[in-house]
Amino acid sequence: MTAPATAPPGAFGPAELTMRNLAAHLQVSPRALYNYVADRDDLLREVIDVCQAARPQPRLDPERWRESLAGYCRELRAWYRAHPGMLALARAEDLTHLAAPGLLRADDALVGFFLDIGLGPRDAYRAWTITVLQVAGFAEVWDSWHDHPPAVGDTTSWTGAPVGNDTPHLRRLADAGVPESPDVLFESVITMLTAGIAALLP
């Protein structure tokens, strides 16, 4: 089965991921889906497996920790961006029981990396958490707005920061040409992230 290009990935919310809606999107009968999956849980399990198979595995070098962490952050951002509906789905439903073993292997490697560069357990936990939050949050908010801008207004110049008469400071930034592309802005995220981690090192 191949989906027709009627909507971008992640365009529908988790509640709309039903067998009937998926069948309509694929332009097949709901009965046809059961040739591939047993039920909705089985469908979700397949979705998770496909997404996890594409998740980048950390290739982190403690001797070059800034460069390798920056590279992994870029790969992780691209993965989140390629699966825009997964975070919303994970928030809406408990998917733990559907995940295959090894779901947290990449996260475990990232924690191990932070321990290897000299952070203590508490700071390694914080560094791991903040790294994931920064990358996932950027992809879900800023990249999502950029990739799928609001359906109203001038979407060609959408920067993720609506500007109006009641936002004089944002207006000042816009007039100064400050808004940057998501790629440029993400590099600033990496710079600030690595600076924060460096400050935790003994």
Side-chain angles (χ1 to χ4, degrees), residues 3-180:
T6 56
F12 305 109
E16 294 176 292
L17 183 55
T18 65
M19 300 292 278
R20 184 175 298 278
N21 286 346
L22 179 60
H25 179 66
L26 297 175
Q27 299 177 359
V28 299
S29 71
R31 185 185 300 271
L33 291 181
Y34 292 97
N35 292 322
Y36 300 90
V37 293
D39 51 27
R40 186 172 183 272
D41 271 2
D42 196 24
L43 171 64
L44 291 176
R45 188 176 292 108
E46 292 292 332
V47 168
I48 295 169
D49 287 349
V50 168
C51 290
Q52 286 300 314
R55 182 172 182 172
Q57 294 303 308
R59 298 185 300 275
L60 299 165
D61 179 1
E63 299 299 321
R64 299 174 52 257
W65 74 265
R66 289 176 183 267
E67 295 85 350
S68 60
L69 179 60
Y72 178 61
C73 286
R74 295 182 191 109
E75 292 177 351
L76 192 59
R77 174 198 174 202
W79 177 70
Y80 280 119
R81 198 173 184 180
H83 303 92
M86 278 305 299
L87 287 173
L89 184 62
R91 279 198 315 271
E93 304 189 32
D94 180 10
L95 304 177
T96 307
H97 66 292
L98 301 174
L103 176 66
L104 298 178
R105 191 171 295 133
D107 295 287
D108 187 68
L110 187 56
V111 171
F113 165 74
F114 287 131
L115 291 170
D116 288 344
I117 66 174
L119 296 181
R122 186 183 301 276
D123 285 339
Y125 167 79
R126 289 172 175 168
W128 162 61
T129 303
I130 292 169
T131 298
V132 173
L133 286 173
Q134 290 292 327
V135 178
F138 191 95
E140 184 169 16
V141 177
W142 222 255
D143 282 329
S144 179
W145 282 347
H146 180 268
D147 296 342
H148 310 292
V152 295
D154 179 14
T155 61
T156 60
S157 60
W158 177 251
T159 64
V163 175
N165 293 331
D166 60 341
T167 56
H169 303 301
L170 289 173
R171 169 67 65 187
R172 182 178 175 188
L173 295 181
D175 291 343
V178 170
E180 300 170 310

